[in-house]
């Protein structure tokens, strides 16, 4: 997707006469890359934008890709209100549902959505989205986690593993090990649940250091699930 088109669409839907700030230009690059991923997945069925913030990804998927059913999950009422305002400026018709609440609340999730997309869900919210996507049998998940906060469920295990393996205590080395452990656990968790997973950089780290894209497709292949479950058990010690 052309970044310039994403920029002008962001401007039109969200910013009115105000110009794009530096962070908007960076966001436009992330959204352009994510829209390419969403386009590959297909636009039929519910697309869930989880921890959506102002729903840049979801609303631009409607406007630029023709997504027809969008479900927005977000805890912040003001951000949902901004989504509602921006949605009024869409030129495409779509069924859009805004649900206020926590992504960990399973009652908010639809059954078998085509796609769950989550860009920069904070800390443990990424794990809650991953688990909810598995539980509601999402066909696809596009997940770009954000900060590796202490509330991330696999973090205590990562810290124990760092000590057990004698990982250097130099801050930068330790940080990278912990992040790698957390992301390994996430990838294996998805694979053990029957997803085919690829992990790649969504955008260069100069755009955002939180650039790891988990692209997961439900395939349910028992042999691969069993192998991943065994590896997950090994990782968890
Ligand atoms: C860093 S922002 C990213 C927003 C948007 N996806 C984007 O990339 O522009 C993270 C958003 O997730 C929301 N959030 C964090 N934890 C959440 C949770 N447990 N349930 C629902 N929303 C959550 C925050 O309110 C915030 O709007």
């Amino acid at each position: 997707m052309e970044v310039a088109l994403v920029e002008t669409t962001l401007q039109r839907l969200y910013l009115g006469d105000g110009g794009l700030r530096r962070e908007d230009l960076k966001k436009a690059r992330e959204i352009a890359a994510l829209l390419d991923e969403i386009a590959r997945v297909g636009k039929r069925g519910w697309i869930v934008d989880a921890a959506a913030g102002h729903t840049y990804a979801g609303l631009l998927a409607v406007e630029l890709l023709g997504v027809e059913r969008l479900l927005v999950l977000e805890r912040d009422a003001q951000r949902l209100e901004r989504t509602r305002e921006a949605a009024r400026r869409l030129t495409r018709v779509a069924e859009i549902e805004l649900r206020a609440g926590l992504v960990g609340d399973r009652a908010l999730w639809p059954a078998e959505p085509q796609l769950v997309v989550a860009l920069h869900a904070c800390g443990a919210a990424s794990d809650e989205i991953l688990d909810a996507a598995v539980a509601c049998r999402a066909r696809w998940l596009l997940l770009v986690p954000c900060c590796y906060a202490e509330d991330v469920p696999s973090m205590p295990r990562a810290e124990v593993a760092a000590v057990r393996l004698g990982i250097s205590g130099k801050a930068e080395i330790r940080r990278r090990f912990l992040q790698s452990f957390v992301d390994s656990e996430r990838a294996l968790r998805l694979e053990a649940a029957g997803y085919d997973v690829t992990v790649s950089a969504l955008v260069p780290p100069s755009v955002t250091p939180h650039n790891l894209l988990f692209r997961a497709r439900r395939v349910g292949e028992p042999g691969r699930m069993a192998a991943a479950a065994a590896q997950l058990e090994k990782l968890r010690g």
Side-chain angles (χ1 to χ4, degrees), residues 168-216:
S168 166
K170 307 282 180 217
E172 196 57 21
I173 296 174
R174 182 62 66 102
R175 184 182 66 78
R176 290 183 192 203
F177 173 83
L178 296 177
Q179 293 185 357
S180 183
F181 187 102
V182 165
D183 287 324
S184 298
E185 202 268 351
R186 286 170 172 160
L188 287 170
R189 194 144 42 104
L190 279 166
E191 286 171 346
Y195 285 77
D196 180 46
V197 180
T198 64
V199 180
S200 58
L202 177 70
V203 288
S206 52
V207 178
T208 171
H210 302 303
N211 67 345
L212 215 55
L213 167 69
F214 290 74
R215 187 193 297 105

Side-chain angles (χ1 to χ4, degrees), residues 27 51-53 56 74-76 79 101-103 119-120 122 125 128:
K27 184 57 72 177
Y56 299 133
E74 170 57 49
R75 67 182 176 186
D76 183 314
R79 291 178 183 191
L102 297 173
V103 291
L119 180 60
H120 296 163
C122 326
E128 289 167 3

Side-chain angles (χ1 to χ4, degrees), residues 122-138:
C122 326
S126 280
D127 293 281
E128 289 167 3
I129 290 166
L130 186 159
D131 291 335
V134 168
C136 73
R137 294 177 54 78

Side-chain angles (χ1 to χ4, degrees), residues 36-135:
D36 287 339
E37 298 290 337
I38 296 173
R40 277 188 210 113
V41 167
K43 56 190 185 187
R44 262 183 264 135
W46 281 108
I47 292 191
V48 180
D49 190 344
H54 308 289
T55 323
Y56 299 133
L59 291 189
L60 269 77
V62 170
E63 189 70 346
L64 299 179
L65 301 178
V67 160
E68 289 169 352
R69 300 180 92 193
L70 174 67
L71 198 152
V72 177
L73 298 182
E74 170 57 49
R75 67 182 176 186
D76 183 314
Q78 284 184 344
R79 291 178 183 191
L80 279 178
E81 189 46 39
R82 190 146 179 255
T83 296
R84 202 169 279 117
E85 281 169 23
R88 289 193 199 104
R89 300 189 194 103
L90 291 168
T91 61
R92 298 240 207 185
V93 177
E95 189 179 345
I96 299 177
E97 215 177 299
L98 309 188
R99 294 189 182 170
L102 297 173
V103 291
D105 179 355
R106 297 284 163 81
L108 296 178
W109 290 78
E112 302 205 17
Q114 168 71 5
L115 166 67
V116 173
V117 58
L119 180 60
H120 296 163
C122 326
S126 280
D127 293 281
E128 289 167 3
I129 290 166
L130 186 159
D131 291 335
V134 168

